Amino acid sequence: MALPASRLSALLAPRSVAIVGASPRENTLGNNVVVNLRRFGYAGRILPVHPSAPEVAGLPAYHTFAELPEPAECAVLAVPADKITAALEEGAAHGLRAAVVFASGFAELGEEGRARQRELQALCARTGIVLCGPNCLGLVNVHKRVSLYSSGIPEGMRDGGLAVVSHSGSACIALSTLGRFGISYLVSVGNAAVLDVSDYLDYLADDSETKAVALFIETLRDPAAFARAMRAMHEAGKPVVALKVGRSAKGAATSAAHTGSLAGNWDAYQAYFRRHGVIAVDDFDELAESVELALKLRAPPQGDGVAVIAVSGGEASLVADLAERADVRLPELAPETVARLRTVLPAFGNIGNPLDTTDRGVYDAQNVYSGSIRALADDPSVSLIAVVQDCSPGLSARGANNYRRIAQTVADAAREIAKPVVFFNTAAGGLHPHVIEPFASSSVAVMQGARASLLAISRLLTHARFAPPDEPEALVPALVWRDRLAAGTPFTERESKAFLAAHGIAVTRETLARDSSAAVQAAAEIGYPVVLKIESPDLPHKTEVEGVRVGLPDAVAVEAAFGEIMGAARRHAPTARLEGVLVQEMVSGGIELIAGLSRQEPFGMGIVAGAGGVLVELMRDTALDLCPFDNAGAHALVARTRASRLLQGFRGRPAGDAEAFAALLARLSQLGAAYGDLLEAVDLNPVAVLPSGRGALVLDALVISRKPTSQGSP
Amino acid sequence: MALPASRLSALLAPRSVAIVGASPRENTLGNNVVVNLRRFGYAGRILPVHPSAPEVAGLPAYHTFAELPEPAECAVLAVPADKITAALEEGAAHGLRAAVVFASGFAELGEEGRARQRELQALCARTGIVLCGPNCLGLVNVHKRVSLYSSGIPEGMRDGGLAVVSHSGSACIALSTLGRFGISYLVSVGNAAVLDVSDYLDYLADDSETKAVALFIETLRDPAAFARAMRAMHEAGKPVVALKVGRSAKGAATSAAHTGSLAGNWDAYQAYFRRHGVIAVDDFDELAESVELALKLRAPPQGDGVAVIAVSGGEASLVADLAERADVRLPELAPETVARLRTVLPAFGNIGNPLDTTDRGVYDAQNVYSGSIRALADDPSVSLIAVVQDCSPGLSARGANNYRRIAQTVADAAREIAKPVVFFNTAAGGLHPHVIEPFASSSVAVMQGARASLLAISRLLTHARFAPPDEPEALVPALVWRDRLAAGTPFTERESKAFLAAHGIAVTRETLARDSSAAVQAAAEIGYPVVLKIESPDLPHKTEVEGVRVGLPDAVAVEAAFGEIMGAARRHAPTARLEGVLVQEMVSGGIELIAGLSRQEPFGMGIVAGAGGVLVELMRDTALDLCPFDNAGAHALVARTRASRLLQGFRGRPAGDAEAFAALLARLSQLGAAYGDLLEAVDLNPVAVLPSGRGALVLDALVISRKPTSQGSP
C-alpha cells in the first residue's frame, strides 16, 4: 500500500532537522551536513546533536534528542552503522518521524550487515519512521532548500521540474551535475531498507514541483508497488525515464523450461516497463536527452511522423541513417508541402525529408526556417519537427552568429505552431551557449548527439500513445488442478495436454494405449497417419529415449512402432515408469511455433513465443511478455518476433491462423496468472498454427509444477 | 595511381596563394578569405586578384594572373560556377598548380552542372592542376597556417595530430568545433571532381604532423585507390576512423540473385572497411571517442581484455552492461591479482572486473587507484585499463577536488606501467576541466559517454590486431567459360554446376535424361534414392513449375516422376525449351546452408553465406565479404552468422565439415574475382555441408551472367 504523502513529507520537506553526529570539526561529514543545510538556505530549524560540543557551525548543539527545544521531524544520522538503531530509538521516543542514514555496513555487507538491516526495518515498522538509506548519499529538495545530502551540492543546481531517484549514489551525482535540468528532488535511495523507488514515485506523482522523473534502478523488489506508482504518474501526466542496470548478470535463470531460458531477465524488465509506461533507456546520454524532451513536450504529439530540417546534405544523410536505426519514421511529405517548400527553397531539385536547406538556410535563415517550419507544421503526416545543427562549443564566432539567427527564427516559429519543435546538435559533448540562448524561454527541447536525440524522439513519441493495457478477464483456477499441481509430481505429455484442454486450449486428439492392439484400435479411431510417443512421468525428453515415431501409415506400422518404443524406453531407462504409448493424430500443414510459460521473477509468470524447432535457440527469435494479457497483447507479442512473418504467409506459403495463436497465448497467460503460485513452467513445443480459420493446436506439451524448495516465496 | 605528394603540397602547403574574386568589401566571401589567411598567420605570399580594385584588405591587388609579381602556386576561386574554368585556364597559363573551388552548381545540380564538372575535370587533367572541390568549404593546414576556407575558422582550433577529411562541409565544421583535438589538416572534399578522399589520405600517410585521420564519407568512387591509400596509412601506423553516411538509401540493389539481395550496400561497405583496416563508426560521438583513443594509443595493446575501475557499484554495473553490448571483454582476474587488490581494498567481499572502489577510492585515492592500476597491469589477461567516473561540468567544487586527486593518481600510475590506461566519464556532454587537467600531459585517453567510449575501446582493440588479409592465389579464368558467360544466355542447373565443378567445387552426381528409360538407367547408375528436376534454360524457378521430385526410391517412381515433371512443365510453360530431366543423387544428413556470389558495387563481387531454406530471408542470418578471400577469410565470414553454430554441432546434431564449406566459399570468391566482369550472380541454394571430413556439396545452383546493359561499367 502506498504511504500517505504526509508521511513522506516529513522526510522530503521536514519542518525541522536534527543532525546526529553533527561535528564542530570542519570538513567532516557531521559538519558538512549542517553547513550545507545553512548555505543551501534551509528555512526550517536545524538542530545539531552532539554529546558534548555546545555549538556546531555557529548553531547551538544539543546532547540528546531529549534536550531538543522541539521534536525534530527528520534526523540525518551521520554516524556509523553500529550507532544507527540506538539513535533512531531515542529519536522515536521524542517524536522523530523520518530519517536519512548515510552509513554503509548493512545488507550490502554480508550476513552481519543483513541482520543489522533487518533490525533497522523492524524498528521503522514499529515506530513508523520513514527512512532513506542506509548506504546512500541522502536527498535534496531543491525547491524547499532541504539538503540532507552527504556529497557536495552542485553549485549550478537550480530549481526545476526533474526529480532524480536513484539506487546508486554515483548516478545521483552523474545526473545532477550534467547542468542541463532544473531539479525538484534528488534522492539517493541506497539499500531501500524502508523506502524504495516506488514510495518516492508515489509522492512525486502528487508533487506540484515535479514534471518528470529520472530513475536509475538496480533492482525492483516490489513490482506491484512500482506498478501502482507508475499508474499515479501516468494519471498525473508525468513521464518516467528509467535506466536499469545489471542486465548482463548471468544468474537467476529461473525457469527449467527450454523456451523460458531464452528470455533473459532484462527481457522481463523490458516487458514490465512497456506494460507500465516506463520509458526505458540504455545509458546516461539517452537518459539525459529523453528527460530533456519529456520536460519540454507538454502536449503529447498525435502521430509518429517526424520532419527533419538540416543545414547540409551530409548531416541530413547521417540523421536519416540514425533515424532508421532509432525507429523514427520520417514520412514522405504531402505534395502541397513540397510545393510550399519549393517557394522557400526555389533552387533545389530535392525537397524531401530530411530537408537539406544548404547554405541558403544560413544566409536567409528567416525565410528558409520560418517558411519551412510553417509548411511542415501543416503537413498531416508530420507530428514533430526536428531542427538539426552542428553547434558544438568550439564553433567560430561567425558560425555561432549565423546559427544563432537560425535558432532565433526556429524559437519564434515554434511559438506560432501547435506541433512540437525540437532542436539537436549532431554531436554530443556540449552546445555553443550563444547559439542556443534563443531557445531558453521557448518550448523547444534542446538536445545533443544525433543518436541519443533520435532515440529520445522515438521513445517519447511511443510513450505519447501509451495507455495501461486492459486487464483480461481473470481465469478462475480449478481446485482439482490446483491440487494436482500442488502434488508436485511430474506431468506426462497426456496429463499436460489435459490440463491445457481443460482450460480451453486446443490439443491433438490422442489416446493412451497400454498394449499394441489398443494402439492399433486407437489409431483407427483417430485416423491414419498417426504419431506414437512414449508416455512416462520419468521421461520428459522423449526423443532422447527413441520414444517418438511420426507418420505411421497403417496398423502394421503402429504395431511395430509400439514394440520398438516400449523396448527402447526399457533399454534407455530401465527404472522409468512406463504408462504406455500415446497414439496421436498427425497434424501437417501447420506453421510450427513455440509458446512457453515460465517464471520471470520478480514479476511472476511470463510468456515466451516465437519460431519453433531446432532453430528456436539458434536464431533467438522469441519475444516475452508478462502474464496476463488479452488477445491484443498477444498480437503485439507475436509482432515482436520475425516468426510473425511466417503467420502472414511468408514467401508464398499460406497465412496461418494468427487469431487462434493469439487466443492461445492469451489463454496461456491467464493460466499463468491463475496458477502462477503452483507452476514453474509450461512448455508448448511445438504449436501447429493451421491455415487461417482452422485454429492452432498444441502438438506437444510439458507442464512443470513449482519445485517445493521455492514454494516459500510467493 | 597515387599522386606524388609534391603535387598535393601545392594545394595543402602552397608557397603563394592567389585569391580570385578577392573583394575589398568586408564580410564577403572574397574578402573573408584574404582576411582569414592574414589573421591565421599564413607566411606565404597572398595575392588578391580583382579586376579593378587597387588593394584588398590592405594588400595590393592584381587585375589578372598575368599581372601577378610571381606565379601563384595555388588559387582560391571565390567566384561563381560559371567563372571557374576561365579563371583556371588563365591561371594554368601562368604557372598555377593547385586550386580550391568553393562554388556550387556542379555535379550536384542536374545535367548542366554535370557537364560543367566534366569540363572542369578535363581542364585539370590537361593542365595538371590539382583541385579541391567544387561545392566545398576548402581546406586548412593548421600547422603551416594555410586557410583556404570559406567558413569561419574555429577560434580554439589548435595544431595537432588529427587530419579531418570530409565529403560534407558541415561535418568539417562539426568535427573541427568539438574543441577536443589538435588538428593537422581540415579538408572539405566537396564534389571530388579531381581529388577525392584517397588522394588526401595518400598525402597524409607521409605527413609528419598527422597521427590519425577522421573521415566523413558519402560515397567511395574508386575503392582500389582508397585501398592503396589505406595500405599506406597502415604502414605508417596511422589509424583511420570513418563515418560513412547514406546507408539507409534504398537504391542500387545490384544483384539479381536472391541471396545477394539480403546484403545491403552498407554490408558491402562494412566488409570493405574491415578488409582495409578502416575503423568504421556510426555517429559523431563514436567518431570523437575513437579518434581520442586512436591519437593516444601509441603502442597497440596485445590482447582484448579490459579491466574497468569504477567509483561505485551502480556505475560498474552500467559499464558491465554496456561493455557486453559493445563487445568489450572484461576478463576474470587472476587469483594473484585478486589477492593484491584485496590488500588495497581490504573490506570488500567482491573484488572483480569491473572493480568497484566505493567511496574508499575517493577518500584514499592514492592507495586505491595506484595500487589497483599496478595490480591490474600485472594481470596477463588485462591489456587495457579503463578508469570510469562521473565528472560532468556541473560537479560540485568538493566533488571536483576529490575526482581530480583520483585523476592525478591515475595519470601518475599510467606513466609507470606499459599497458595503456584510459579514462571516461559515464555521461557525454562535457567533462569538468579541473578534474581532467592532470591528464593533459599524460598518455591517458580522456573520453566521454560510456557507450561511445566502450565502442571506441572495442574498435581500437580490434584494430590493434588488424593485418591486411593475404591475397589468395588468383584463379586463371578459362577461355571456354569466359566465352560461355559472355554469350549472356541463361544457364541451366546442370550447366551452372558444370561451371562450378570445372573450378573445383563439389556438386551432386547427376545425369541429364531425355526420356524416362534414360532416367531409370541414370538412376540405377547413381544409386537410389534419387532426385529428378526439370532442366530448362527458361525455367530457373523449378519448384514453381512442379519441376522437382525428391526421394524417389525405385525405377517405377522414377519413370512416373519423369512423365509428371515433363507434363507439368509443358502445362506451366508451353513455350519453354525443355532439355529433359536431371537425375541427381539424393544427399541427406547434411546441414543445408546457402552461398551466393553477387555484384556489390562499387567493390566488385561479394559472397553472401548463411542459413539455408525458407528461413534465410526470415531470419536474415547471412554475412557478406568481398571477393577474393582465402579459407581463413571464409571461416571468419561464416563465424559472423549464427548458422556457424549449426556447423559446430548444434544441440546434439553432428558437426558439419566446416573446412570443406570454407574451402567452397573461398573458391567461389576466387571465381568471383576471376569472372567478375562477366558474372552477375551465382546462387548456391542449398549447399549440403556433410559431417566432418565428408565434404560439402552443391545441391542446386544457378549462374547468372552479367546483363549486356550493364557491361559498360567495369
Side-chain angles (χ1 to χ4, degrees):
Chain A
M1 212 34 53
L3 288 171
S6 59
R7 285 190 60 197
L8 252 74
S9 67
L11 178 69
L12 289 163
R15 278 168 299 230
S16 56
V17 177
I19 298 93
V20 178
S23 167
R25 278 194 301 135
E26 285 185 27
N27 291 321
T28 58
L29 179 59
N31 186 272
N32 284 341
V33 174
V34 178
V35 171
N36 281 345
L37 262 171
R38 297 192 71 181
R39 280 210 195 126
F40 200 55
Y42 177 56
R45 190 139 182 196
I46 306 174
L47 304 162
V49 177
H50 188 280
S52 56
E55 65 169 53
V56 169
L59 292 171
Y62 307 91
H63 297 158
T64 61
F65 274 96
E67 288 183 19
L68 293 179
E70 60 179 272
E73 194 169 16
C74 180
V76 176
L77 306 192
V79 293
D82 58 1
K83 304 257 188 302
I84 298 296
T85 46
L88 284 175
E89 292 284 9
E90 194 200 331
H94 295 87
L96 186 68
R97 297 174 55 210
V100 174
V101 177
F102 298 139
S104 56
F106 289 85
E108 83 285 1
L109 219 73
E111 190 41 55
E112 190 187 341
R114 280 192 290 276
R116 193 176 275 150
Q117 184 154 323
R118 281 193 299 271
E119 193 186 347
L120 187 63
Q121 287 167 324
L123 190 159
C124 290
R126 175 162 47 78
T127 60
I129 288 177
V130 292
L131 183 138
C132 174
N135 190 26
C136 73
L137 300 183
L139 57 89
V140 184
N141 174 341
V142 183
H143 187 66
K144 291 248 171 69
R145 316 310 291 170
V146 184
S147 78
L148 316 176
Y149 198 62
S150 70
S151 187
I153 303 240
E155 278 77 12
M157 190 155 80
R158 61 180 203 282
D159 190 5
L162 178 69
V164 174
V165 181
S166 169
H167 279 131
S168 155
S170 76
C172 272
I173 295 175
L175 289 169
S176 63
T177 60
L178 292 175
R180 291 178 54 186
F181 311 112
I183 305 272
S184 60
Y185 296 85
L186 188 60
V187 182
S188 166
V189 174
N191 286 8
V194 175
L195 298 177
D196 204 346
V197 169
S198 318
D199 301 298
Y200 296 107
L201 273 184
D202 269 329
Y203 178 88
L204 296 168
D206 287 336
D207 176 63
S208 61
E209 303 300 324
T210 300
K211 307 299 178 203
V213 180
L215 299 181
F216 185 95
I217 299 177
E218 297 190 7
T219 187
L220 281 182
R221 290 170 190 83
D222 184 350
F226 189 85
R228 276 194 304 273
M230 279 308 302
R231 189 170 276 268
M233 292 299 292
H234 177 66
E235 281 162 10
K238 301 180 182 182
V240 176
V241 185
L243 175 53
K244 159 80 174 75
V245 299
R247 306 174 186 180
S248 52
K250 305 293 188 289
T254 46
S255 161
H258 155 72
T259 49
S261 69
L262 294 179
N265 209 238
W266 170 233
D267 287 341
Y269 268 95
Q270 283 183 294
Y272 177 81
F273 286 158
R274 214 167 21 237
R275 171 167 293 213
H276 299 292
V278 178
I279 301 167
V281 297
D282 297 329
D283 60 32
F284 279 130
D285 303 321
E286 296 176 20
L287 182 59
E289 306 320 325
S290 297
V291 162
E292 168 70 17
L293 193 53
L295 286 169
K296 288 286 173 63
L297 264 190
R298 302 315 310 168
Q302 296 304 303
D304 69 347
V306 174
V308 171
I309 311 179
V311 82
S312 96
E315 217 162 51
S317 186
L318 174 66
V319 171
D321 291 351
L322 296 172
E324 187 178 272
R325 290 180 64 183
D327 250 336
V328 169
R329 195 172 66 86
L330 307 181
E332 289 292 309
L333 302 176
E336 307 79 61
T337 313
V338 173
R340 279 176 66 185
L341 290 171
R342 218 175 275 291
T343 66
V344 176
L345 292 162
F348 293 87
N350 271 335
I351 297 283
N353 182 17
L355 181 66
D356 169 14
T357 65
T358 73
D359 56 357
R360 197 180 172 102
V362 175
Y363 296 115
D364 189 16
Q366 177 58 33
N367 283 322
V368 169
Y369 276 84
S370 180
S372 301
I373 288 173
R374 282 157 205 270
L376 292 168
D378 289 338
D379 192 307
S381 70
V382 173
S383 292
L384 181 146
I385 298 165
V387 175
V388 185
Q389 256 183 15
D390 41 83
C391 63
S392 287
L395 201 60
S396 70
R398 177 145 64 93
N401 281 330
N402 288 337
Y403 282 169
R404 186 195 168 102
R405 271 202 315 280
I406 295 178
Q408 187 64 59
T409 304
V410 172
D412 293 344
R415 279 188 194 92
E416 290 169 30
I417 65 168
K419 292 178 182 172
V421 177
V422 308
F423 174 92
F424 64 83
N425 191 18
T426 48
L431 297 160
H432 197 292
H434 184 61
V435 174
I436 61 164
E437 209 178 87
F439 293 127
S441 60
S442 79
S443 65
V444 177
V446 179
M447 300 182 283
Q448 50 182 282
R451 178 187 163 279
S453 301
L454 286 161
L455 279 171
I457 291 170
S458 173
R459 285 166 179 156
L460 268 294
L461 289 181
T462 300
H463 182 69
R465 298 190 298 280
F466 169 76
D470 294 329
E471 283 280 321
E473 214 180 320
L475 189 152
V476 181
L479 262 182
V480 55
W481 285 114
R482 286 196 62 85
D483 289 348
R484 172 63 190 91
L485 286 164
T489 52
F491 278 59
T492 62
E493 174 175 345
R494 191 173 64 108
E495 209 177 5
S496 298
K497 284 179 174 169
F499 175 66
L500 296 168
H503 294 91
I505 292 175
V507 302
T508 42
R509 282 179 296 132
E510 58 200 26
T511 305
L512 180 64
R514 298 190 194 271
D515 57 42
S516 65
S517 67
V520 170
Q521 192 188 331
E525 283 162 14
I526 287 167
Y528 289 103
V530 293
V531 175
L532 262 59
K533 295 175 174 174
I534 189 72
E535 173 83 355
S536 164
D538 302 323
L539 300 173
H541 302 295
K542 298 180 281 285
T543 311
E544 291 175 12
V545 295
E546 299 175 66
V548 180
R549 294 287 187 289
V550 302
L552 302 171
D554 52 31
V556 174
V558 167
E559 187 159 357
F562 185 97
E564 287 163 22
I565 286 174
M566 294 296 282
R570 286 199 194 92
R571 204 166 58 244
H572 284 287
T575 62
R577 291 162 292 173
L578 305 185
E579 299 188 354
V581 168
L582 205 53
V583 182
Q584 203 167 81
E585 67 174 313
M586 170 101 185
V587 178
S588 57
I591 296 163
E592 297 202 349
L593 301 180
I594 58 155
L597 185 59
S598 59
R599 197 151 281 285
Q600 298 294 341
E601 297 302 4
F603 307 109
M605 301 301 283
I607 297 276
V608 171
V614 72
L615 289 160
V616 178
E617 266 195 46
L618 187 65
M619 298 297 177
R620 299 176 188 281
D621 178 40
T622 53
L624 178 145
D625 201 358
L626 299 170
C627 301
F629 48 77
D630 60 11
N631 288 17
H635 279 295
L637 170 63
V638 174
R640 288 190 283 114
T641 68
R642 280 172 292 178
S644 61
R645 294 179 62 198
L646 283 177
L647 289 181
Q648 291 159 15
F650 186 67
R651 287 183 70 74
R653 295 183 174 196
D657 196 333
E659 279 304 324
F661 187 57
L664 180 150
L665 291 177
R667 196 67 178 164
L668 191 62
S669 82
Q670 291 149 23
L671 272 182
Y675 295 97
D677 57 331
L678 297 168
L679 272 174
E680 191 62 37
V682 175
D683 193 3
L684 314 187
N685 185 3
V687 176
V689 184
L690 299 172
S692 292
R694 291 178 49 199
L697 208 59
V698 175
L699 302 191
D700 197 353
L702 184 60
V703 170
I704 302 172
S705 55
R706 199 161 181 194
K707 286 175 193 62
T709 49
S710 58
Q711 283 183 352
S713 56
Chain B
M1 213 33 55
L3 289 169
S6 59
R7 285 189 59 197
L8 253 75
S9 67
L11 178 70
L12 290 163
R15 278 168 299 228
S16 55
V17 178
I19 298 93
V20 179
S23 166
R25 278 194 301 138
E26 286 186 26
N27 291 321
T28 58
L29 179 60
N31 186 271
N32 283 342
V33 174
V34 178
V35 171
N36 280 347
L37 262 171
R38 296 191 73 181
R39 279 208 198 127
F40 200 55
Y42 176 56
R45 189 140 181 195
I46 306 174
L47 304 161
V49 176
H50 188 278
S52 56
E55 65 169 55
V56 169
L59 292 172
Y62 306 91
H63 298 159
T64 61
F65 276 96
E67 289 183 17
L68 295 178
E70 60 178 270
E73 194 169 15
C74 180
V76 176
L77 306 192
V79 293
D82 58 1
K83 304 258 189 303
I84 299 296
T85 45
L88 285 176
E89 291 285 9
E90 194 200 331
H94 295 88
L96 185 68
R97 297 174 57 208
V100 174
V101 178
F102 297 139
S104 55
F106 289 85
E108 83 284 4
L109 218 72
E111 189 41 54
E112 190 187 341
R114 280 191 290 276
R116 192 177 277 149
Q117 184 154 322
R118 282 193 298 271
E119 193 187 347
L120 187 63
Q121 288 168 321
L123 190 158
C124 289
R126 177 164 43 82
T127 60
I129 287 176
V130 293
L131 184 139
C132 173
N135 190 25
C136 74
L137 299 183
L139 57 89
V140 184
N141 174 341
V142 183
H143 188 65
K144 290 247 169 71
R145 315 309 291 170
V146 184
S147 78
L148 317 177
Y149 197 61
S150 70
S151 186
I153 302 239
E155 279 76 14
M157 189 156 79
R158 62 181 203 280
D159 191 6
L162 178 68
V164 173
V165 182
S166 169
H167 280 133
S168 154
S170 76
C172 272
I173 295 175
L175 290 170
S176 64
T177 60
L178 292 175
R180 291 178 55 186
F181 310 112
I183 305 273
S184 61
Y185 296 85
L186 188 60
V187 182
S188 165
V189 173
N191 286 7
V194 175
L195 298 177
D196 204 347
V197 169
S198 318
D199 301 298
Y200 297 107
L201 274 183
D202 269 331
Y203 177 89
L204 296 168
D206 287 336
D207 175 65
S208 61
E209 303 301 324
T210 301
K211 307 299 177 203
V213 179
L215 299 181
F216 185 95
I217 299 177
E218 297 192 6
T219 187
L220 281 182
R221 291 171 190 82
D222 185 351
F226 189 85
R228 278 194 304 272
M230 280 307 302
R231 189 169 277 267
M233 292 298 293
H234 178 66
E235 281 162 9
K238 300 180 182 181
V240 176
V241 185
L243 175 53
K244 159 78 175 74
V245 298
R247 305 173 186 181
S248 52
K250 304 295 187 290
T254 46
S255 161
H258 156 71
T259 49
S261 69
L262 294 177
N265 208 238
W266 169 234
D267 288 342
Y269 267 94
Q270 283 184 292
Y272 177 82
F273 286 158
R274 213 166 22 236
R275 171 167 294 212
H276 298 293
V278 177
I279 301 166
V281 297
D282 297 330
D283 61 30
F284 279 130
D285 304 321
E286 295 175 21
L287 182 60
E289 306 319 324
S290 297
V291 162
E292 167 70 17
L293 193 52
L295 286 168
K296 288 286 174 63
L297 264 190
R298 302 315 310 168
Q302 295 305 303
D304 69 347
V306 173
V308 171
I309 310 178
V311 82
S312 94
E315 214 163 54
S317 186
L318 174 66
V319 171
D321 290 351
L322 295 172
E324 187 178 90
R325 291 180 62 181
D327 249 336
V328 168
R329 195 171 67 86
L330 307 181
E332 289 292 310
L333 302 175
E336 308 80 61
T337 312
V338 173
R340 278 176 67 184
L341 290 171
R342 220 175 275 289
T343 66
V344 177
L345 291 161
F348 293 85
N350 271 336
I351 297 285
N353 182 17
L355 181 66
D356 168 16
T357 65
T358 75
D359 57 356
R360 197 180 173 101
V362 174
Y363 298 115
D364 190 17
Q366 176 60 32
N367 282 324
V368 170
Y369 277 84
S370 180
S372 301
I373 289 173
R374 282 158 207 271
L376 293 169
D378 288 339
D379 191 307
S381 70
V382 173
S383 292
L384 180 145
I385 298 165
V387 175
V388 185
Q389 257 183 13
D390 40 84
C391 63
S392 288
L395 201 61
S396 70
R398 177 146 64 93
N401 281 330
N402 287 338
Y403 282 169
R404 186 195 168 103
R405 273 203 313 279
I406 295 177
Q408 186 65 58
T409 305
V410 172
D412 293 344
R415 279 187 194 93
E416 290 169 29
I417 64 168
K419 291 177 182 172
V421 177
V422 307
F423 173 93
F424 63 85
N425 191 18
T426 48
L431 297 161
H432 197 292
H434 184 62
V435 174
I436 61 164
E437 208 177 271
F439 294 126
S441 59
S442 79
S443 64
V444 177
V446 179
M447 301 181 283
Q448 49 180 283
R451 180 188 162 277
S453 301
L454 286 161
L455 279 172
I457 291 169
S458 173
R459 287 168 177 154
L460 267 294
L461 289 180
T462 300
H463 181 70
R465 297 191 298 280
F466 169 76
D470 294 329
E471 283 282 320
E473 214 180 320
L475 187 152
V476 181
L479 260 182
V480 55
W481 285 112
R482 287 197 62 86
D483 288 347
R484 173 63 191 91
L485 287 164
T489 52
F491 277 59
T492 62
E493 174 175 345
R494 192 173 64 106
E495 208 176 6
S496 298
K497 284 178 173 169
F499 174 66
L500 296 168
H503 295 91
I505 292 176
V507 301
T508 42
R509 282 179 297 132
E510 58 202 24
T511 306
L512 180 64
R514 298 190 193 272
D515 56 40
S516 64
S517 67
V520 169
Q521 191 188 331
E525 282 162 14
I526 287 167
Y528 289 101
V530 293
V531 175
L532 261 59
K533 295 176 175 173
I534 189 71
E535 173 82 355
S536 162
D538 302 322
L539 300 173
H541 302 294
K542 298 180 282 283
T543 311
E544 291 174 11
V545 295
E546 300 176 66
V548 180
R549 295 289 187 287
V550 301
L552 302 171
D554 51 32
V556 173
V558 167
E559 188 161 353
F562 186 95
E564 287 163 21
I565 286 174
M566 293 296 281
R570 287 200 194 93
R571 204 166 56 245
H572 284 287
T575 62
R577 291 162 291 174
L578 306 184
E579 298 188 355
V581 167
L582 206 54
V583 181
Q584 203 167 82
E585 67 174 312
M586 171 99 185
V587 178
S588 58
I591 297 163
E592 296 203 352
L593 303 180
I594 57 154
L597 186 58
S598 59
R599 196 151 284 285
Q600 298 293 340
E601 297 302 4
F603 307 111
M605 301 301 283
I607 297 275
V608 171
V614 73
L615 289 159
V616 178
E617 267 195 46
L618 187 65
M619 297 297 177
R620 300 176 187 279
D621 179 39
T622 53
L624 178 145
D625 202 357
L626 299 170
C627 301
F629 49 77
D630 60 11
N631 289 17
H635 279 295
L637 170 63
V638 174
R640 286 189 285 116
T641 68
R642 278 172 292 177
S644 61
R645 295 180 62 199
L646 284 176
L647 290 180
Q648 292 159 14
F650 185 68
R651 287 185 68 76
R653 297 183 173 195
D657 196 333
E659 279 303 325
F661 188 57
L664 180 150
L665 290 176
R667 197 66 179 165
L668 190 63
S669 81
Q670 291 148 23
L671 272 181
Y675 295 97
D677 56 333
L678 297 167
L679 272 175
E680 192 60 38
V682 175
D683 193 4
L684 314 187
N685 185 3
V687 175
V689 183
L690 300 172
S692 293
R694 291 178 49 200
L697 208 57
V698 176
L699 301 192
D700 198 353
L702 183 60
V703 170
I704 302 171
S705 55
R706 199 161 182 194
K707 286 173 193 64
T709 49
S710 59
Q711 283 185 351
S713 57

